Amino acid sequence: MEEESDCRKINNSFLRDHNYATEADIISTVEFNSTGELLATGDKGGRVVVFQREQESKNQPHRRGEYNVYSTFQSHEPEFDYLKSLEIEEKINKIRWLPQQNAAYFLLSTNDKTVKLWKISERDKRPEGYNLKDEDGRIRDPGTITTLRVPVLRPMDLMVEATPRRVFSNAHTYHINSISVNSDYETFMSTDDLRINLWNLEITNRSFNIVDIKPTNMEELTEVITAAEFHPHQCNTFVYSSSKGSIRLCDMRASALCDNHSKFFEEPEDPSNRSFFSEIISSISDVKFSHSGRYLMTRDYLTVKVWDLNMESKPLETYQVHDYLRSKLCSLYENDCIFDKFECVWNGSDSVIMTGSYNNFFRMFDRNTKRDVTLEASRENSKPRAILKPRKVCVGGKRRKDEISVDSLDFSKKILHTAWHPYENIIAVAATNNLYIFQDKVN
């Protein structure tokens, strides 16, 4: 985030036609794999679209390739729970990649109830010359088979196949809000409003309940779990956040049921700021460990906070995302925007953090220089290689030419989901049904 990166170049944007955009096209999650070569998006229609980065071209070695569609598949279908007379949406809530072990790629995707493990693999050869089948795949009459043939592999056009390898279901009463793959690469956890379950990637018919905050009497329920994530290096440690604005760090070595946390992070509320909305806006919508594992980042409605794992009393840093909305909380409550769940991400070196806002704005904060920038992902400035201009919101008084008034912000356009390439300054931003990919200015 030097001066240069205030002018981020658009790499390319995957724009679906506005005229045909439906509710099902709205992107609900974005995730780079561990090398950054692949980028997956999930949408409300249950589809997963995987983009692959083109290889470097010999003519322009300094310019890395763009992301193009690699594979598209239907991950989840709408279902109906007849016991509870409940429709289960196909919407993809989260996607998490597994580290690559061989030529194939694996990812976990989840809707409200079911997690699926998908294998994405390439095929460029096909076997020909079966004994029991003819070339069309029909079974031959055994009486006509007189010779024994050895099948041979013939080259064919490259095909990318997505196949479901495991289905982890029937373990959640409430809606799954997050999944996280453990650093042991053998287990993962799925989290709903009241419980966290630990799964083995090889075993689909049972999981271990590691956190359960459900009270015996549901009328005594005061908070729900909003997100959870494993530590990037310590396979025994994970955190989960709550709707009350607290974060609990748990150690699975301490006990099988992690109802007792080992660390508790919460910022005491300033009594002078107390209002009817205090509890709603303090609810944490996302929690992320830094790549180093030393820090935690949490996003609530108005701020992003960075916590040091060794200091529970207060956050190390607090960044105001859109403080100008404080005066608008009443109307945001009435149009339900106050319940929007914004995500937050670290860059590869943990020095810059990014999160979304309204009006298709997204914000970046440089932790070293304390500079921040507001950028906009919109169709108007989405020509490839266009340079993004920083945006400013004015709260009253006189509005400058390049500023936008807080009263003219469009709250239906919101950036909830973003992702940052693990090593490079490439970001993916989901704006309703459009995916924008921006990269740092290339000299």
Side-chain angles (χ1 to χ4, degrees):
M1 267 192 64
E2 294 99 39
E3 286 295 321
E4 288 286 73
S5 69
D6 278 10
C7 315
R8 300 189 102 71
K9 280 209 171 182
I10 294 196
N11 189 351
N12 54 340
S13 54
F14 178 65
L15 300 169
R16 293 176 173 149
D17 192 331
H18 250 332
N19 306 326
Y20 299 105
T22 61
E23 179 79 5
D25 292 325
I26 294 173
I27 297 172
S28 51
T29 183
V30 188
E31 189 78 11
F32 279 102
N33 75 339
S34 56
T35 61
E37 290 304 301
L38 297 181
L39 170 68
T41 66
D43 63 25
K44 286 192 171 182
R47 288 180 302 251
V48 173
V49 181
V50 179
F51 299 86
Q52 186 183 41
R53 198 173 183 191
E54 275 181 7
Q55 293 306 308
E56 216 168 88
S57 68
K58 290 197 173 91
N59 313 339
Q60 297 168 299
H62 65 275
R63 201 185 109 197
R64 278 304 309 268
E66 299 181 343
Y67 285 86
N68 294 316
V69 177
Y70 177 61
S71 173
T72 305
F73 58 94
Q74 188 72 29
S75 172
H76 287 70
E77 302 279 356
E79 292 173 56
F80 193 79
D81 184 336
Y82 292 97
L83 290 174
K84 298 196 176 99
S85 294
L86 205 65
E87 282 186 49
I88 300 167
E89 284 186 354
E90 65 272 40
K91 174 190 164 207
I92 309 289
N93 291 342
K94 282 283 184 291
I95 288 173
R96 289 288 177 263
W97 290 92
L98 271 63
Q100 194 178 354
Q101 311 282 354
N102 52 29
Y105 302 100
F106 288 88
L107 63 81
L108 289 167
S109 65
T110 184
N111 67 348
D112 285 342
K113 297 287 180 190
T114 305
V115 184
K116 293 185 180 181
L117 174 67
W118 289 88
K119 177 185 181 182
I120 300 167
S121 52
E122 295 182 354
R123 223 177 45 174
D124 59 357
K125 291 185 176 62
R126 69 163 181 266
E128 280 182 7
Y130 286 113
N131 291 286
L132 301 176
K133 292 178 186 171
D134 61 20
E135 297 310 323
D136 299 331
R138 288 191 296 264
I139 300 290
R140 287 166 64 185
D141 174 14
T144 62
I145 301 170
T146 54
T147 55
L148 188 66
R149 293 193 292 180
V150 178
V152 289
L153 288 171
R154 298 243 186 271
M156 59 177 256
D157 290 341
L158 180 70
M159 250 176 74
V160 180
E161 295 177 315
T163 44
R165 300 308 300 266
R166 308 258 188 288
V167 177
F168 306 91
S169 56
N170 303 327
H172 286 278
T173 314
Y174 306 97
H175 291 177
I176 298 173
N177 55 45
S178 51
I179 48 177
S180 179
V181 180
N182 200 346
S183 58
D184 62 9
Y185 307 144
E186 290 179 12
T187 55
F188 74 93
M189 65 181 174
S190 56
T191 307
D192 67 28
D193 294 340
L194 298 179
R195 296 194 177 106
I196 301 177
N197 291 336
L198 182 71
W199 300 83
N200 187 304
L201 283 161
E202 300 294 324
I203 301 167
T204 58
N205 60 356
R206 66 174 181 273
S207 63
F208 293 99
N209 179 224
I210 52 174
V211 172
D212 186 351
I213 64 165
K214 185 180 179 183
T216 39
N217 178 5
M218 280 297 269
E219 286 175 7
E220 293 166 9
L221 183 69
T222 56
E223 64 180 331
V224 293
I225 301 170
T226 53
E229 190 178 61
F230 271 118
H231 189 283
H233 316 303
Q234 299 165 6
C235 61
N236 53 283
T237 310
F238 67 93
V239 292
Y240 68 91
S241 58
S242 89
S243 56
K244 274 195 161 175
S246 57
I247 308 111
R248 291 170 175 84
L249 182 86
C250 301
D251 188 338
M252 291 193 288
R253 295 171 302 186
S255 68
L257 192 62
C258 303
D259 281 356
N260 295 325
H261 47 267
S262 45
K263 288 192 176 180
F264 182 79
F265 303 86
E266 187 175 45
E267 186 170 31
E269 193 188 13
D270 180 0
S272 63
N273 276 344
R274 178 122 190 96
S275 74
F276 169 75
F277 305 108
S278 295
E279 200 163 301
I280 303 173
I281 63 172
S282 67
S283 174
I284 293 173
S285 54
D286 196 16
V287 59
K288 293 265 170 55
F289 274 105
S290 62
H291 295 85
S292 66
R294 170 75 192 271
Y295 303 105
L296 268 177
M297 168 167 56
T298 59
R299 169 74 208 257
D300 56 43
Y301 191 64
L302 294 176
T303 66
V304 172
K305 296 185 172 92
V306 175
W307 303 77
D308 187 323
L309 285 191
N310 300 328
M311 186 170 80
E312 298 169 59
S313 55
K314 62 176 195 289
L316 201 61
E317 300 150 23
T318 301
Y319 300 97
Q320 300 295 337
V321 179
H322 37 217
D323 205 41
Y324 46 78
L325 295 183
R326 227 175 252 284
S327 59
K328 296 248 172 288
L329 291 177
C330 203
S331 54
L332 289 163
Y333 178 75
E334 284 165 7
N335 64 15
D336 276 355
C337 283
I338 202 165
F339 302 107
D340 284 333
K341 293 178 168 50
F342 291 96
E343 294 171 10
C344 52
V345 286
W346 300 89
N347 73 338
S349 60
D350 298 334
S351 60
V352 183
I353 56 185
M354 172 173 64
T355 191
S357 179
Y358 293 104
N359 209 66
N360 279 356
F361 288 169
F362 57 98
R363 304 267 284 133
M364 290 182 175
F365 303 94
D366 189 314
R367 298 180 56 213
N368 300 326
T369 63
K370 299 298 180 227
R371 288 177 63 236
D372 64 274
V373 63
T374 303
L375 300 169
E376 182 182 4
S378 72
R379 294 175 82 88
E380 286 67 56
N381 54 18
S382 67
K383 295 179 180 66
R385 318 260 160 244
I387 289 179
L388 290 190
K389 293 186 179 66
R391 304 299 306 259
K392 284 198 169 52
V393 177
C394 80
V395 183
K398 215 165 161 225
R399 185 166 69 89
R400 290 208 194 106
K401 182 169 69 86
D402 56 341
E403 289 184 336
I404 181 165
S405 156
V406 68
D407 295 315
S408 55
L409 293 176
D410 186 344
F411 293 109
S412 66
K413 294 178 176 172
K414 48 193 105 170
I415 306 278
L416 300 176
H417 314 287
T418 55
W420 201 308
H421 189 288
Y423 309 113
E424 297 179 44
N425 277 340
I426 296 175
I427 56 174
V429 175
T432 323
N433 60 319
N434 298 323
L435 176 71
Y436 296 89
I437 298 171
F438 302 106
Q439 67 179 20
D440 236 351
K441 191 171 172 184
V442 183
N443 298 327

